[in-house]
PDB file of all heavy atoms in Angstrom:
ATOM      1  N   ASN S   8      -7.494   3.263   5.785  1.00 96.00           N
ATOM      2  CA  ASN S   8      -8.259   2.306   6.606  1.00 96.00           C
ATOM      3  C   ASN S   8      -9.174   1.404   5.848  1.00 96.00           C
ATOM      4  O   ASN S   8      -9.679   0.401   6.373  1.00 96.00           O
ATOM      5  CB  ASN S   8      -9.104   3.121   7.642  1.00 96.00           C
ATOM      6  CG  ASN S   8      -8.272   3.756   8.682  1.00 96.00           C
ATOM      7  OD1 ASN S   8      -7.043   3.761   8.649  1.00 96.00           O
ATOM      8  ND2 ASN S   8      -8.952   4.322   9.708  1.00 96.00           N
ATOM      9  N   PHE S   9      -9.373   1.698   4.552  1.00 96.00           N
ATOM     10  CA  PHE S   9     -10.369   0.844   3.719  1.00 96.00           C
ATOM     11  C   PHE S   9      -9.666   0.220   2.487  1.00 96.00           C
ATOM     12  O   PHE S   9     -10.250  -0.716   1.967  1.00 96.00           O
ATOM     13  CB  PHE S   9     -11.553   1.626   3.360  1.00 96.00           C
ATOM     14  CG  PHE S   9     -12.486   1.955   4.440  1.00 96.00           C
ATOM     15  CD1 PHE S   9     -12.397   3.103   5.190  1.00 96.00           C
ATOM     16  CD2 PHE S   9     -13.542   1.029   4.729  1.00 96.00           C
ATOM     17  CE1 PHE S   9     -13.292   3.370   6.279  1.00 96.00           C
ATOM     18  CE2 PHE S   9     -14.410   1.281   5.751  1.00 96.00           C
ATOM     19  CZ  PHE S   9     -14.285   2.426   6.584  1.00 96.00           C
ATOM     20  N   PHE S  10      -8.570   0.759   2.006  1.00 97.00           N
ATOM     21  CA  PHE S  10      -8.030   0.249   0.774  1.00 97.00           C
ATOM     22  C   PHE S  10      -6.597  -0.276   0.807  1.00 97.00           C
ATOM     23  O   PHE S  10      -6.302  -1.270   0.200  1.00 97.00           O
ATOM     24  CB  PHE S  10      -8.082   1.374  -0.299  1.00 97.00           C
ATOM     25  CG  PHE S  10      -9.514   1.688  -0.796  1.00 97.00           C
ATOM     26  CD1 PHE S  10     -10.238   2.701  -0.170  1.00 97.00           C
ATOM     27  CD2 PHE S  10     -10.063   0.959  -1.793  1.00 97.00           C
ATOM     28  CE1 PHE S  10     -11.513   2.958  -0.581  1.00 97.00           C
ATOM     29  CE2 PHE S  10     -11.352   1.233  -2.293  1.00 97.00           C
ATOM     30  CZ  PHE S  10     -12.091   2.269  -1.646  1.00 97.00           C
ATOM     31  N   LEU S  11      -5.759   0.411   1.598  1.00 98.00           N
ATOM     32  CA  LEU S  11      -4.316   0.097   1.530  1.00 98.00           C
ATOM     33  C   LEU S  11      -3.955  -0.969   2.638  1.00 98.00           C
ATOM     34  O   LEU S  11      -4.750  -1.202   3.574  1.00 98.00           O
ATOM     35  CB  LEU S  11      -3.487   1.353   1.769  1.00 98.00           C
ATOM     36  CG  LEU S  11      -3.497   2.304   0.643  1.00 98.00           C
ATOM     37  CD1 LEU S  11      -2.906   3.638   0.987  1.00 98.00           C
ATOM     38  CD2 LEU S  11      -2.811   1.683  -0.648  1.00 98.00           C
ATOM     39  N   LEU S  12      -2.813  -1.576   2.446  1.00 98.00           N
ATOM     40  CA  LEU S  12      -2.397  -2.665   3.348  1.00 98.00           C
ATOM     41  C   LEU S  12      -1.442  -2.144   4.389  1.00 98.00           C
ATOM     42  O   LEU S  12      -0.402  -1.536   4.092  1.00 98.00           O
ATOM     43  CB  LEU S  12      -1.667  -3.783   2.576  1.00 98.00           C
ATOM     44  CG  LEU S  12      -1.215  -5.010   3.369  1.00 98.00           C
ATOM     45  CD1 LEU S  12      -2.377  -5.709   4.072  1.00 98.00           C
ATOM     46  CD2 LEU S  12      -0.525  -5.995   2.415  1.00 98.00           C
ATOM     47  N   ASN S  13      -1.845  -2.319   5.685  1.00 98.00           N
ATOM     48  CA  ASN S  13      -1.019  -1.811   6.788  1.00 98.00           C
ATOM     49  C   ASN S  13      -0.300  -2.988   7.491  1.00 98.00           C
ATOM     50  O   ASN S  13      -0.819  -4.083   7.517  1.00 98.00           O
ATOM     51  CB  ASN S  13      -1.984  -1.212   7.806  1.00 98.00           C
ATOM     52  CG  ASN S  13      -2.658   0.068   7.293  1.00 98.00           C
ATOM     53  OD1 ASN S  13      -2.304   1.178   7.620  1.00 98.00           O
ATOM     54  ND2 ASN S  13      -3.795  -0.165   6.527  1.00 98.00           N
ATOM     55  N   GLU S  14       0.831  -2.649   8.045  1.00 97.00           N
ATOM     56  CA  GLU S  14       1.627  -3.654   8.729  1.00 97.00           C
ATOM     57  C   GLU S  14       2.546  -2.917   9.804  1.00 97.00           C
ATOM     58  O   GLU S  14       3.036  -1.857   9.567  1.00 97.00           O
ATOM     59  CB  GLU S  14       2.463  -4.415   7.772  1.00 97.00           C
ATOM     60  CG  GLU S  14       3.195  -5.606   8.379  1.00 97.00           C
ATOM     61  CD  GLU S  14       3.933  -6.441   7.271  1.00 97.00           C
ATOM     62  OE1 GLU S  14       3.221  -6.903   6.384  1.00 97.00           O
ATOM     63  OE2 GLU S  14       5.154  -6.571   7.400  1.00 97.00           O
ATOM     64  N   ILE S  15       2.679  -3.584  10.935  1.00 95.00           N
ATOM     65  CA  ILE S  15       3.595  -3.025  11.936  1.00 95.00           C
ATOM     66  C   ILE S  15       4.993  -3.590  11.703  1.00 95.00           C
ATOM     67  O   ILE S  15       5.198  -4.818  11.750  1.00 95.00           O
ATOM     68  CB  ILE S  15       3.129  -3.367  13.377  1.00 95.00           C
ATOM     69  CG1 ILE S  15       1.745  -2.720  13.592  1.00 95.00           C
ATOM     70  CG2 ILE S  15       4.102  -2.859  14.415  1.00 95.00           C
ATOM     71  CD1 ILE S  15       1.101  -3.065  14.930  1.00 95.00           C
ATOM     72  N   VAL S  16       5.912  -2.788  11.307  1.00 91.00           N
ATOM     73  CA  VAL S  16       7.255  -3.144  10.962  1.00 91.00           C
ATOM     74  C   VAL S  16       8.225  -2.558  12.007  1.00 91.00           C
ATOM     75  O   VAL S  16       8.351  -1.354  12.164  1.00 91.00           O
ATOM     76  CB  VAL S  16       7.654  -2.618   9.564  1.00 91.00           C
ATOM     77  CG1 VAL S  16       9.111  -3.083   9.280  1.00 91.00           C
ATOM     78  CG2 VAL S  16       6.662  -3.123   8.565  1.00 91.00           C
ATOM     79  N   GLU S  17       8.893  -3.423  12.761  1.00 91.00           N
ATOM     80  CA  GLU S  17       9.830  -3.061  13.755  1.00 91.00           C
ATOM     81  C   GLU S  17       9.226  -2.071  14.761  1.00 91.00           C
ATOM     82  O   GLU S  17       9.762  -1.036  15.155  1.00 91.00           O
ATOM     83  CB  GLU S  17      11.075  -2.395  13.140  1.00 91.00           C
ATOM     84  CG  GLU S  17      11.909  -3.442  12.291  1.00 91.00           C
ATOM     85  CD  GLU S  17      13.126  -2.842  11.701  1.00 91.00           C
ATOM     86  OE1 GLU S  17      13.352  -1.645  11.842  1.00 91.00           O
ATOM     87  OE2 GLU S  17      13.931  -3.583  11.138  1.00 91.00           O
ATOM     88  N   GLY S  18       7.917  -2.384  15.152  1.00 94.00           N
ATOM     89  CA  GLY S  18       7.259  -1.598  16.179  1.00 94.00           C
ATOM     90  C   GLY S  18       6.598  -0.352  15.677  1.00 94.00           C
ATOM     91  O   GLY S  18       5.921   0.369  16.439  1.00 94.00           O
ATOM     92  N   GLU S  19       6.665  -0.075  14.341  1.00 96.00           N
ATOM     93  CA  GLU S  19       6.076   1.173  13.805  1.00 96.00           C
ATOM     94  C   GLU S  19       5.087   0.801  12.695  1.00 96.00           C
ATOM     95  O   GLU S  19       5.319  -0.149  11.938  1.00 96.00           O
ATOM     96  CB  GLU S  19       7.161   2.082  13.219  1.00 96.00           C
ATOM     97  CG  GLU S  19       8.091   2.680  14.269  1.00 96.00           C
ATOM     98  CD  GLU S  19       7.341   3.535  15.278  1.00 96.00           C
ATOM     99  OE1 GLU S  19       6.326   4.167  14.926  1.00 96.00           O
ATOM    100  OE2 GLU S  19       7.784   3.541  16.463  1.00 96.00           O
ATOM    101  N   SER S  20       4.020   1.545  12.628  1.00 98.00           N
ATOM    102  CA  SER S  20       2.975   1.333  11.612  1.00 98.00           C
ATOM    103  C   SER S  20       3.400   1.807  10.242  1.00 98.00           C
ATOM    104  O   SER S  20       3.859   2.947  10.103  1.00 98.00           O
ATOM    105  CB  SER S  20       1.679   2.052  12.031  1.00 98.00           C
ATOM    106  OG  SER S  20       1.262   1.630  13.301  1.00 98.00           O
ATOM    107  N   HIS S  21       3.280   0.973   9.233  1.00 98.00           N
ATOM    108  CA  HIS S  21       3.670   1.248   7.894  1.00 98.00           C
ATOM    109  C   HIS S  21       2.523   0.857   6.894  1.00 98.00           C
ATOM    110  O   HIS S  21       1.708   0.022   7.194  1.00 98.00           O
ATOM    111  CB  HIS S  21       4.937   0.507   7.460  1.00 98.00           C
ATOM    112  CG  HIS S  21       6.186   1.034   8.005  1.00 98.00           C
ATOM    113  ND1 HIS S  21       6.565   0.888   9.345  1.00 98.00           N
ATOM    114  CD2 HIS S  21       7.206   1.700   7.398  1.00 98.00           C
ATOM    115  CE1 HIS S  21       7.731   1.460   9.547  1.00 98.00           C
ATOM    116  NE2 HIS S  21       8.148   1.959   8.352  1.00 98.00           N
ATOM    117  N   LEU S  22       2.511   1.510   5.759  1.00 98.00           N
ATOM    118  CA  LEU S  22       1.758   1.114   4.585  1.00 98.00           C
ATOM    119  C   LEU S  22       2.766   0.326   3.748  1.00 98.00           C
ATOM    120  O   LEU S  22       3.872   0.814   3.466  1.00 98.00           O
ATOM    121  CB  LEU S  22       1.212   2.298   3.821  1.00 98.00           C
ATOM    122  CG  LEU S  22       0.266   3.190   4.607  1.00 98.00           C
ATOM    123  CD1 LEU S  22      -0.137   4.391   3.706  1.00 98.00           C
ATOM    124  CD2 LEU S  22      -0.962   2.458   5.057  1.00 98.00           C
ATOM    125  N   VAL S  23       2.406  -0.873   3.324  1.00 97.00           N
ATOM    126  CA  VAL S  23       3.323  -1.757   2.614  1.00 97.00           C
ATOM    127  C   VAL S  23       2.863  -1.890   1.143  1.00 97.00           C
ATOM    128  O   VAL S  23       1.779  -1.540   0.813  1.00 97.00           O
ATOM    129  CB  VAL S  23       3.477  -3.135   3.262  1.00 97.00           C
ATOM    130  CG1 VAL S  23       4.060  -3.032   4.661  1.00 97.00           C
ATOM    131  CG2 VAL S  23       2.130  -3.832   3.379  1.00 97.00           C
ATOM    132  N   ILE S  24       3.812  -2.363   0.384  1.00 97.00           N
ATOM    133  CA  ILE S  24       3.587  -2.473  -1.033  1.00 97.00           C
ATOM    134  C   ILE S  24       2.727  -3.741  -1.400  1.00 97.00           C
ATOM    135  O   ILE S  24       3.011  -4.780  -0.833  1.00 97.00           O
ATOM    136  CB  ILE S  24       4.940  -2.560  -1.870  1.00 97.00           C
ATOM    137  CG1 ILE S  24       5.786  -1.336  -1.557  1.00 97.00           C
ATOM    138  CG2 ILE S  24       4.718  -2.695  -3.337  1.00 97.00           C
ATOM    139  CD1 ILE S  24       5.169  -0.066  -1.938  1.00 97.00           C
ATOM    140  N   ASP S  25       1.759  -3.580  -2.220  1.00 98.00           N
ATOM    141  CA  ASP S  25       1.087  -4.666  -2.834  1.00 98.00           C
ATOM    142  C   ASP S  25       0.659  -4.301  -4.207  1.00 98.00           C
ATOM    143  O   ASP S  25       1.026  -3.239  -4.765  1.00 98.00           O
ATOM    144  CB  ASP S  25      -0.166  -5.081  -1.960  1.00 98.00           C
ATOM    145  CG  ASP S  25      -1.259  -4.026  -1.908  1.00 98.00           C
ATOM    146  OD1 ASP S  25      -1.065  -2.964  -2.532  1.00 98.00           O
ATOM    147  OD2 ASP S  25      -2.283  -4.283  -1.293  1.00 98.00           O
ATOM    148  N   GLU S  26      -0.173  -5.140  -4.865  1.00 98.00           N
ATOM    149  CA  GLU S  26      -0.487  -4.921  -6.264  1.00 98.00           C
ATOM    150  C   GLU S  26      -1.275  -3.632  -6.467  1.00 98.00           C
ATOM    151  O   GLU S  26      -1.147  -2.954  -7.522  1.00 98.00           O
ATOM    152  CB  GLU S  26      -1.216  -6.092  -6.852  1.00 98.00           C
ATOM    153  CG  GLU S  26      -1.456  -6.050  -8.364  1.00 98.00           C
ATOM    154  CD  GLU S  26      -0.124  -6.134  -9.110  1.00 98.00           C
ATOM    155  OE1 GLU S  26       0.821  -6.891  -8.663  1.00 98.00           O
ATOM    156  OE2 GLU S  26       0.014  -5.431 -10.168  1.00 98.00           O
ATOM    157  N   LEU S  27      -2.076  -3.252  -5.514  1.00 98.00           N
ATOM    158  CA  LEU S  27      -2.850  -1.964  -5.647  1.00 98.00           C
ATOM    159  C   LEU S  27      -1.937  -0.791  -5.692  1.00 98.00           C
ATOM    160  O   LEU S  27      -2.083   0.111  -6.526  1.00 98.00           O
ATOM    161  CB  LEU S  27      -3.865  -1.838  -4.452  1.00 98.00           C
ATOM    162  CG  LEU S  27      -4.746  -0.554  -4.497  1.00 98.00           C
ATOM    163  CD1 LEU S  27      -5.588  -0.558  -5.748  1.00 98.00           C
ATOM    164  CD2 LEU S  27      -5.572  -0.455  -3.230  1.00 98.00           C
ATOM    165  N   VAL S  28      -0.892  -0.830  -4.854  1.00 98.00           N
ATOM    166  CA  VAL S  28       0.074   0.339  -4.907  1.00 98.00           C
ATOM    167  C   VAL S  28       0.877   0.294  -6.180  1.00 98.00           C
ATOM    168  O   VAL S  28       1.152   1.307  -6.813  1.00 98.00           O
ATOM    169  CB  VAL S  28       1.030   0.205  -3.633  1.00 98.00           C
ATOM    170  CG1 VAL S  28       2.122   1.259  -3.701  1.00 98.00           C
ATOM    171  CG2 VAL S  28       0.284   0.292  -2.362  1.00 98.00           C
ATOM    172  N   ASN S  29       1.278  -0.906  -6.598  1.00 97.00           N
ATOM    173  CA  ASN S  29       1.992  -1.031  -7.890  1.00 97.00           C
ATOM    174  C   ASN S  29       1.196  -0.474  -9.048  1.00 97.00           C
ATOM    175  O   ASN S  29       1.685   0.232  -9.891  1.00 97.00           O
ATOM    176  CB  ASN S  29       2.280  -2.519  -8.089  1.00 97.00           C
ATOM    177  CG  ASN S  29       2.988  -2.755  -9.432  1.00 97.00           C
ATOM    178  OD1 ASN S  29       3.982  -2.152  -9.804  1.00 97.00           O
ATOM    179  ND2 ASN S  29       2.367  -3.669 -10.243  1.00 97.00           N
ATOM    180  N   GLN S  30      -0.083  -0.776  -9.118  1.00 97.00           N
ATOM    181  CA  GLN S  30      -0.934  -0.287 -10.163  1.00 97.00           C
ATOM    182  C   GLN S  30      -1.081   1.224 -10.107  1.00 97.00           C
ATOM    183  O   GLN S  30      -1.143   1.913 -11.108  1.00 97.00           O
ATOM    184  CB  GLN S  30      -2.355  -0.980 -10.103  1.00 97.00           C
ATOM    185  CG  GLN S  30      -2.328  -2.440 -10.363  1.00 97.00           C
ATOM    186  CD  GLN S  30      -1.984  -2.823 -11.802  1.00 97.00           C
ATOM    187  OE1 GLN S  30      -2.379  -2.056 -12.753  1.00 97.00           O
ATOM    188  NE2 GLN S  30      -1.261  -3.860 -12.021  1.00 97.00           N
ATOM    189  N   SER S  31      -1.071   1.801  -8.891  1.00 97.00           N
ATOM    190  CA  SER S  31      -1.216   3.217  -8.740  1.00 97.00           C
ATOM    191  C   SER S  31       0.008   3.953  -9.157  1.00 97.00           C
ATOM    192  O   SER S  31      -0.072   4.991  -9.894  1.00 97.00           O
ATOM    193  CB  SER S  31      -1.503   3.580  -7.306  1.00 97.00           C
ATOM    194  OG  SER S  31      -2.718   2.970  -6.808  1.00 97.00           O
ATOM    195  N   LEU S  32       1.181   3.462  -8.801  1.00 97.00           N
ATOM    196  CA  LEU S  32       2.461   4.126  -9.054  1.00 97.00           C
ATOM    197  C   LEU S  32       2.927   3.962 -10.467  1.00 97.00           C
ATOM    198  O   LEU S  32       3.634   4.839 -11.038  1.00 97.00           O
ATOM    199  CB  LEU S  32       3.533   3.703  -8.046  1.00 97.00           C
ATOM    200  CG  LEU S  32       3.582   4.520  -6.720  1.00 97.00           C
ATOM    201  CD1 LEU S  32       2.231   4.475  -5.975  1.00 97.00           C
ATOM    202  CD2 LEU S  32       4.719   3.982  -5.880  1.00 97.00           C
ATOM    203  N   ASN S  33       2.606   2.816 -11.095  1.00 95.00           N
ATOM    204  CA  ASN S  33       3.177   2.555 -12.412  1.00 95.00           C
ATOM    205  C   ASN S  33       2.284   2.654 -13.610  1.00 95.00           C
ATOM    206  O   ASN S  33       2.674   2.570 -14.699  1.00 95.00           O
ATOM    207  CB  ASN S  33       3.781   1.100 -12.354  1.00 95.00           C
ATOM    208  CG  ASN S  33       5.058   0.974 -11.567  1.00 95.00           C
ATOM    209  OD1 ASN S  33       5.879   1.916 -11.639  1.00 95.00           O
ATOM    210  ND2 ASN S  33       5.164  -0.031 -10.797  1.00 95.00           N
ATOM    211  N   PHE S  34       1.001   2.911 -13.312  1.00 95.00           N
ATOM    212  CA  PHE S  34       0.040   3.020 -14.392  1.00 95.00           C
ATOM    213  C   PHE S  34      -0.953   4.199 -14.118  1.00 95.00           C
ATOM    214  O   PHE S  34      -1.255   4.470 -12.967  1.00 95.00           O
ATOM    215  CB  PHE S  34      -0.810   1.748 -14.549  1.00 95.00           C
ATOM    216  CG  PHE S  34       0.056   0.522 -14.818  1.00 95.00           C
ATOM    217  CD1 PHE S  34       0.499  -0.272 -13.747  1.00 95.00           C
ATOM    218  CD2 PHE S  34       0.405   0.163 -16.086  1.00 95.00           C
ATOM    219  CE1 PHE S  34       1.260  -1.365 -14.004  1.00 95.00           C
ATOM    220  CE2 PHE S  34       1.220  -0.961 -16.288  1.00 95.00           C
ATOM    221  CZ  PHE S  34       1.665  -1.700 -15.299  1.00 95.00           C
ATOM    222  N   THR S  35      -1.415   4.822 -15.165  1.00 96.00           N
ATOM    223  CA  THR S  35      -2.312   5.924 -15.012  1.00 96.00           C
ATOM    224  C   THR S  35      -3.697   5.411 -14.572  1.00 96.00           C
ATOM    225  O   THR S  35      -3.975   4.235 -14.681  1.00 96.00           O
ATOM    226  CB  THR S  35      -2.494   6.683 -16.353  1.00 96.00           C
ATOM    227  OG1 THR S  35      -2.940   5.761 -17.374  1.00 96.00           O
ATOM    228  CG2 THR S  35      -1.201   7.313 -16.779  1.00 96.00           C
ATOM    229  N   HIS S  36      -4.483   6.362 -14.023  1.00 96.00           N
ATOM    230  CA  HIS S  36      -5.805   5.964 -13.601  1.00 96.00           C
ATOM    231  C   HIS S  36      -6.680   5.445 -14.748  1.00 96.00           C
ATOM    232  O   HIS S  36      -6.552   5.973 -15.866  1.00 96.00           O
ATOM    233  CB  HIS S  36      -6.524   7.087 -12.956  1.00 96.00           C
ATOM    234  CG  HIS S  36      -7.995   6.766 -12.631  1.00 96.00           C
ATOM    235  ND1 HIS S  36      -9.006   7.204 -13.409  1.00 96.00           N
ATOM    236  CD2 HIS S  36      -8.531   6.012 -11.611  1.00 96.00           C
ATOM    237  CE1 HIS S  36     -10.132   6.714 -12.933  1.00 96.00           C
ATOM    238  NE2 HIS S  36      -9.848   5.984 -11.797  1.00 96.00           N
TER     239      HIS S  36
END
């Protein structure tokens, strides 16, 4: 609710990819 990007896709709520997610998944903290 405060950091990730939400979007309703085909009627369902999703968390979508953006640069914050990319940095989390591909790089260490």
Side-chain angles (χ1 to χ4, degrees):
N8 291 7
F9 286 92
F10 288 94
L11 291 170
L12 182 59
N13 295 260
E14 186 174 304
I15 299 177
V16 181
E17 297 181 351
E19 294 298 327
S20 302
H21 283 72
L22 300 176
V23 297
I24 302 300
D25 67 358
E26 191 63 37
L27 181 62
V28 177
N29 176 54
Q30 293 293 322
S31 300
L32 270 58
N33 287 318
F34 302 94
T35 58
H36 174 258

